[in-house]
Amino acid sequence: MNPDDTKKMVETVDVSPAMPEAPSGAASPDVFRQLLHQAVRVADLSNAQAMRMAMDFAKVYEREQGVRKEFELQLRQMALMEKQATRYAEDLAQMLRTERERRHELERALEQERIANEELRRTGLQGISHLLLAATIKDRTTGDHLLRVRRYVEAIAERLGLPADLVEEFGYSSVMHDVGKIHTPDHILQSEHHLSDDEFDVIKKHCTDGEKMLGDARFFEIARGIAREHHERWDGKGYPDGKKGDEISLAARIVSVADVFDALTSKRPYKDAWSAEAGLEAIEKGAGERFDPEVVSAFVGLSREGAVDRIRQEVAATSSEQNGSSAK
Amino acid sequence: MAKLLVADDLVPIRQMVRITLSTQGWTIVEAKNGNEALDLVRSEKPDLVLLDVDMGPGPNGFDVCRQIKADQATKDIPVVMLTAHESDSDRAIGFAAGATQYLTKPFGPLELIDTIRGILAHS
């Protein structure tokens, strides 16, 4: 191979002059990739293999003919180019290896963080279930009530178009709306009579108590809002703060609808269970007064599609299943 | 953005240098022999000059370096020798001619980038 050919070939290579602006710090991985890409092209064109062959031929030629002088310069240049191309290839391969190792390390670190996060989440959820166990034993609220509220909340949140991770967070946060009732004296909580104003003031404290119990971890942020605000009303006539409209967190506005609907349609010591139709009618009446109209219309939509009935049936089925197995 | 002149008689070497340095956003001007290099140094006023030693007919890299350093208008431009001459005496000649750095072929891309970056940062 004539070295002039190599030159011509290399000269025809189009190297775009419009390289991206270089970063000011150390050479970035992008630069490495560019370098490697380009070097592979140049190395290809320099065709080290062809050069070695040419030099081997030259050696034979020299030995046979005794003329080397005229090729001396070209041969030296070819030898240099071959070394140069090899050096580039080695350097770039090393850079690529380093970059790959760094990426693997990064991936490992990310994976570890994911595991740690998952562990934290599990710890949080476990804490919730202990908290709830305590609260339900005291309040005589059933686990079924909490499960139905959770399912309603998730369904409403999903229908409102919230992203899946938020739907889940609203769901697990909703079950803690009444944890503050642990502090409420039994005689008031379990009273079957009409409460006096003083007694009702004590009941109201479960919202702020619940918020306090849920600490300051990010995991319970939504839950704290729900605990404090689930008795607030859209028209501002609720408690404990008298917030109205958007001042109340969306999660709390959703829980409010789900909680009231389930309370109405469940049997309590002082009342029978309402039918789903009657419960839904009451909720619709409350739109714009007690409840956020958008949340209500989402809930009504779910009900029309049969989602509310389905949740009620599914929860009833799992609970009778559990009762059945524990009876054995 | 820095402007660099690379003088080398071999197209593939100039190509490699240009590819390597343009990744840093630097503008590259090329010369294929000593006379062309001197003309371009005067007309383009680059921020740094890379010089091969053996560049065919005309002044060699050491000569070019000496002339750059002798000219009041260009004497402050840093010069980096980039050559296959790797003996200590050649290095001594290069530095005596006024070169700031002396790199030998084959050179690695990072070595080249780091050397130039270091010099540009100090000037």
Side-chain angles (χ1 to χ4, degrees):
Chain A
M1 181 171 176
N2 187 323
D4 282 339
D5 289 344
T6 312
K7 285 187 191 177
K8 267 184 221 129
M9 283 175 69
V10 174
E11 265 171 330
T12 59
V13 177
D14 165 51
V15 176
S16 162
M19 289 289 179
E21 190 74 20
S24 52
S28 74
D30 271 355
V31 171
F32 296 154
R33 209 167 293 122
Q34 267 180 37
L35 282 171
L36 181 64
H37 181 66
Q38 300 282 19
V40 166
R41 266 163 56 173
V42 174
D44 248 11
L45 290 163
S46 301
N47 205 339
Q49 184 62 40
M51 288 190 206
R52 259 202 304 277
M53 279 174 63
M55 278 182 290
D56 284 348
F57 286 140
K59 262 183 216 148
V60 177
Y61 185 60
E62 180 197 6
R63 202 170 56 226
E64 300 300 323
Q65 310 290 328
V67 276
R68 187 187 163 113
K69 264 275 179 281
E70 51 180 308
F71 292 109
E72 195 85 57
L73 181 65
Q74 283 100 320
L75 289 175
R76 227 183 25 240
Q77 289 181 348
M78 283 196 290
L80 177 65
M81 276 317 300
E82 190 193 344
K83 274 197 283 185
Q84 182 61 57
T86 309
R87 171 71 198 271
Y88 252 59
E90 282 167 4
D91 270 33
L92 292 164
Q94 178 59 43
M95 283 184 220
L96 206 68
R97 268 198 300 279
T98 315
E99 197 207 332
R100 200 174 292 143
E101 273 164 28
R102 222 183 30 216
R103 211 181 44 219
H104 282 163
E105 247 164 58
L106 210 69
E107 276 165 8
R108 263 198 302 279
L110 279 176
E111 174 65 9
Q112 271 165 7
E113 199 186 309
R114 202 189 58 73
I115 291 171
N117 272 337
E118 179 58 24
E119 183 61 24
L120 212 67
R121 215 177 72 90
R122 271 168 16 101
T123 310
L125 291 173
Q126 233 163 55
I128 294 172
S129 63
H130 293 310
L131 211 60
L132 292 179
L133 194 64
T136 48
I137 287 170
K138 200 175 137 89
D139 189 16
R140 291 192 191 160
T141 343
T142 60
D144 286 358
H145 166 65
L146 295 177
L147 188 53
R148 277 191 301 267
V149 168
R150 177 179 187 160
R151 296 280 306 273
Y152 294 151
V153 166
E154 284 171 348
I156 294 170
E158 204 179 338
R159 195 179 174 90
L160 288 174
L162 299 180
D165 54 340
L166 215 53
V167 170
E168 195 201 354
E169 196 174 349
F170 277 24
Y172 75 67
S173 299
S174 71
V175 295
M176 293 168 274
H177 64 272
D178 271 342
V179 284
K181 283 190 177 167
I182 280 189
H183 292 293
T184 314
D186 282 352
H187 71 272
I188 298 180
L189 208 54
Q190 292 166 15
S191 165
E192 295 180 16
H193 310 104
H194 193 73
L195 295 173
S196 70
D197 284 354
D198 285 348
E199 285 173 329
F200 199 58
D201 282 344
V202 173
I203 284 266
K204 284 179 180 176
K205 280 191 67 200
H206 84 273
C207 300
T208 45
D209 285 344
E211 185 193 23
K212 252 179 259 158
M213 283 173 65
L214 293 169
D216 59 4
R218 160 72 193 89
F219 189 81
F220 291 125
E221 196 180 317
I222 301 269
R224 281 192 296 275
I226 291 174
R228 189 180 183 103
E229 299 171 344
H230 71 282
H231 285 295
E232 297 288 0
R233 294 168 49 119
W234 184 252
D235 58 11
K237 292 178 186 160
Y239 64 88
D241 301 309
K243 290 182 185 170
K244 60 180 168 193
D246 286 346
E247 293 167 12
I248 310 158
S249 69
L250 177 59
R253 295 186 328 246
I254 295 175
V255 170
S256 173
V257 169
D259 186 33
V260 171
F261 175 80
D262 197 66
L264 293 176
T265 53
S266 304
K267 186 176 161 14
R268 291 288 156 91
Y270 47 87
K271 71 175 243 316
D272 284 332
W274 294 18
S275 70
E277 293 72 31
L280 195 70
E281 202 177 306
I283 296 290
E284 276 188 277
K285 256 188 211 150
E289 291 175 14
R290 178 162 191 170
F291 306 119
D292 176 350
E294 274 184 47
V295 174
V296 171
S297 71
F299 191 66
V300 171
L302 286 168
S303 173
R304 289 218 184 93
E305 286 169 10
V308 172
D309 283 339
R310 197 159 54 241
I311 288 171
R312 284 163 54 108
Q313 281 158 17
E314 279 171 18
V315 171
T318 49
S319 102
S320 65
E321 220 170 77
Q322 276 165 5
N323 289 343
S325 62
S326 64
K328 274 172 202 169
Chain B
M1 194 197 286
K3 188 197 288 179
L4 313 177
L5 173 75
V6 50
D8 200 304
D9 58 327
L10 289 185
V11 175
I13 294 283
R14 294 207 303 271
Q15 179 98 15
M16 270 187 181
V17 171
R18 189 177 56 192
I19 289 164
T20 306
L21 301 186
S22 55
T23 60
Q24 302 300 299
W26 297 325
T27 310
I28 316 299
V29 181
E30 294 179 29
K32 59 179 178 295
N33 58 47
N35 284 320
E36 217 178 282
L38 281 169
D39 288 345
L40 285 169
V41 166
R42 288 182 194 115
S43 63
E44 297 283 331
K45 293 277 185 312
D47 298 288
L48 186 144
V49 179
L50 280 163
L51 288 176
D52 182 22
V53 173
D54 297 326
M55 296 185 280
N60 70 20
F62 296 138
D63 299 331
V64 173
C65 184
R66 270 183 221 107
Q67 290 190 44
I68 290 173
K69 293 298 166 183
D71 187 337
Q72 196 62 29
T74 59
K75 71 176 177 48
D76 291 329
I77 300 176
V79 173
V80 176
M81 304 305 297
L82 187 60
T83 168
H85 293 266
E86 52 189 358
S87 72
D88 286 345
S89 52
D90 283 318
R91 277 174 193 277
I93 294 170
F95 285 118
T100 306
Q101 262 300 350
Y102 195 101
L103 296 180
T104 52
K105 296 173 184 169
F107 55 91
L110 270 193
E111 179 188 15
L112 187 64
I113 290 172
D114 288 347
T115 301
I116 294 175
R117 197 186 266 160
I119 295 171
L120 289 180
H122 281 103
S123 59

